[in-house]
Amino acid sequence: MSLIKLTIKGISYSQTQSGAYALVLSEMEGTRTLPIIIGAFEAQSIAIALEKEIRPPRPLTHDLFKTFADRFKINIKQIIIHKLVDGVFFSSLICEREGIEEVIDTRTSDAIALAVRFQAPIYTYENILDKAGIYLKLDEEITFEEDLDPDEIEIALEKESSKEEDFSVFSLQELHEQLNEAVANEDYELAAQIRDEISKRP
């Protein structure tokens, strides 16, 4: 079976599972998306790796893995989401060291957190997209395929505005100070909101 390349479309709150997040992957050459429920720690780790402006004061577990791999000249070439059983995705890391390739079993959330750090491509198979993929309409409304129970997962592409704090009353300097404080306190969700407000400013 041929591999289909995916890209990270976004991370959002899961509307049905408390404390969980939905990681949304999208096929590079098509309109299907692949929603995967992940934990808060993994969602935070992926989001931090995607955000170039946020640097945690101490390395997260996936950062430590990246440093360890770099030190011993181990490279992650790609990750493959290769199986879906009872709603659980199974993935593999394709690693290489000194010309020798190894395949390592991993949770999909960990695999993607590492893929972002190694800038490794993410792939899956057609049968998995057929089974769990959903089509995104032009107006960004989500419609579910027959094989995906809409009661099991709901994707919110953007955070509800009611959950976000109002930072418009702060000056740019105050926002930068709050951003540094949030990062120092390892409150990366708040830091991301402040960063978004800073990016809106002229």
Side-chain angles (χ1 to χ4, degrees):
M1 292 182 289
S2 62
L3 293 171
I4 298 173
K5 191 172 184 180
L6 303 172
T7 186
I8 298 174
K9 185 173 183 63
I11 302 173
S12 64
Y13 292 106
S14 170
Q15 303 298 301
T16 57
Q17 297 188 30
S18 178
Y21 290 76
L23 169 67
V24 184
L25 304 176
S26 176
E27 61 179 331
M28 295 286 287
E29 298 180 1
T31 59
R32 288 174 295 182
T33 59
L34 191 65
I36 301 173
I37 296 299
I38 62 175
F41 172 78
E42 291 78 10
Q44 181 187 79
S45 181
I46 293 169
I48 288 173
L50 292 171
E51 297 293 345
K52 306 303 182 186
E53 296 179 15
I54 298 177
R55 290 288 181 270
R58 296 177 297 169
L60 302 179
T61 303
H62 298 109
D63 298 320
L64 177 60
F65 185 99
K66 175 66 163 63
T67 302
F68 178 89
D70 289 344
R71 191 68 54 89
F72 290 94
K73 297 180 170 41
I74 300 168
N75 183 46
I76 295 179
K77 296 176 61 178
Q78 61 187 23
I79 76 154
I80 301 175
I81 304 170
H82 60 82
K83 188 166 64 173
L84 174 62
V85 179
D86 296 330
V88 178
F89 292 91
F90 292 76
S91 296
S92 296
L93 296 175
I94 312 301
C95 306
E96 184 180 52
R97 181 175 182 268
E98 296 180 351
I100 300 174
E101 191 171 281
E102 297 284 350
V103 179
I104 301 175
D105 181 50
T106 178
R107 295 188 307 168
T108 298
S109 54
D110 289 329
I112 292 173
L114 292 173
V116 175
R117 288 164 169 80
F118 282 87
Q119 298 184 340
I122 304 166
Y123 295 98
T124 193
Y125 292 109
E126 181 70 35
N127 65 323
I128 293 178
L129 274 175
D130 283 342
K131 187 176 182 180
I134 58 178
Y135 285 91
L136 193 63
K137 292 182 178 180
L138 293 178
D139 59 359
E140 291 192 338
E141 178 184 349
I142 300 287
T143 22
F144 289 83
E145 293 287 299
E146 291 183 358
D147 291 331
L148 189 65
D149 185 356
D151 293 329
E152 293 180 358
I153 178 174
E154 294 178 21
I155 304 300
L157 293 178
E158 295 181 359
K159 294 178 183 177
E160 297 178 22
S161 58
S162 61
K163 296 180 180 178
E164 296 184 354
E165 297 186 34
D166 182 15
F167 297 103
S168 60
V169 297
F170 298 104
S171 69
L172 199 56
Q173 181 179 348
E174 290 172 329
L175 288 173
H176 281 290
E177 291 173 356
Q178 290 186 36
L179 176 60
N180 292 334
E181 183 179 350
V183 171
N185 293 331
E186 300 186 10
D187 188 347
Y188 302 118
E189 185 176 329
L190 176 62
Q193 292 181 25
I194 298 172
R195 188 280 332 275
D196 290 342
E197 176 63 29
I198 291 174
S199 65
K200 295 176 187 176
R201 301 294 178 93

